[in-house]
Amino acid sequence: MAVEIRELVIKTAIQSHKETSGHELTEQQLQQLKQQIVQECVKQLGLKQRQKMLER
């Protein structure tokens, strides 16, 4: 009987500070950036999953 254990560990450090560079994102730009990050994560997870399937 096959047993499959999946684990995803994400470690991060978040620091908040006010930037004085004058670059501020609009709400729309921020939403687009978030969506791009999510899409890239999904893409990378899909690639990993396909590699695992090929190894079996």
Side-chain angles (χ1 to χ4, degrees):
M1 182 165 96
V3 176
E4 185 174 328
I5 300 173
R6 295 183 182 193
E7 182 177 342
L8 174 63
V9 178
I10 299 174
K11 296 182 180 182
T12 186
I14 300 174
Q15 297 177 344
S16 297
H17 58 86
K18 183 72 175 168
E19 291 188 23
T20 58
S21 64
H23 297 287
E24 293 186 18
L25 296 175
T26 66
E27 185 65 29
Q28 183 180 9
Q29 290 171 323
L30 182 60
Q31 291 301 323
Q32 288 176 342
L33 183 58
K34 287 179 182 180
Q35 188 62 33
Q36 288 174 351
I37 292 170
V38 169
Q39 288 174 352
E40 184 63 27
C41 290
V42 170
K43 177 182 166 186
Q44 291 299 320
L45 289 172
L47 290 174
K48 284 266 191 193
Q49 184 65 25
R50 279 186 248 151
Q51 288 174 351
K52 292 277 185 187
M53 294 297 287
L54 291 175
E55 290 175 2
R56 293 181 181 178

